[in-house]
Amino acid sequence: PPRGPLDQQFLEAVKETITENLDNSGFNVESLCTSQNMSRSSFYNKLKALTDQAPADYIRLIRLKRAAQLLSEGQDGIDKLD
């Protein structure tokens, strides 16, 4: 579906919220819905329509992209065993 400025604004807000909570292991779909002032079902339907992904999958995707970015920059934080 075509994305208007409101849809883009929504997606940017969702991405920003996920990014701000990357270190929060307790951050989940419920937290994300609350941050957007939406019910879980409304949020699910809107995000699914815009991204073709369920909210949990979208959060996972953002986290994986950030992890890949950190690894490619050599900031993996993993102790090297010699």
Side-chain angles (χ1 to χ4, degrees), residues 5-45:
L6 290 177
D7 289 340
Q8 290 289 52
Q9 199 173 14
F10 170 77
L11 286 175
E12 286 172 20
V14 169
K15 283 181 189 176
E16 184 178 328
T17 302
I18 294 170
T19 304
E20 289 171 355
N21 286 281
L22 286 176
D23 294 336
N24 180 357
S25 61
F27 184 76
N28 57 21
V29 175
E30 210 54 52
S31 309
L32 187 54
C33 294
T34 301
S35 74
Q36 301 302 311
N37 296 316
M38 296 179 76
S39 70
R40 190 178 177 106
S41 59
S42 295
F43 184 82
Y44 178 93
N45 291 333

Side-chain angles (χ1 to χ4, degrees), residues 66-67 69-81:
R66 179 64 179 146
Q69 179 186 4
L70 290 174
L71 286 170
S72 71
E73 293 171 358
Q75 299 175 1
D76 54 11
I78 298 171
D79 293 330
K80 307 271 190 267
L81 298 175

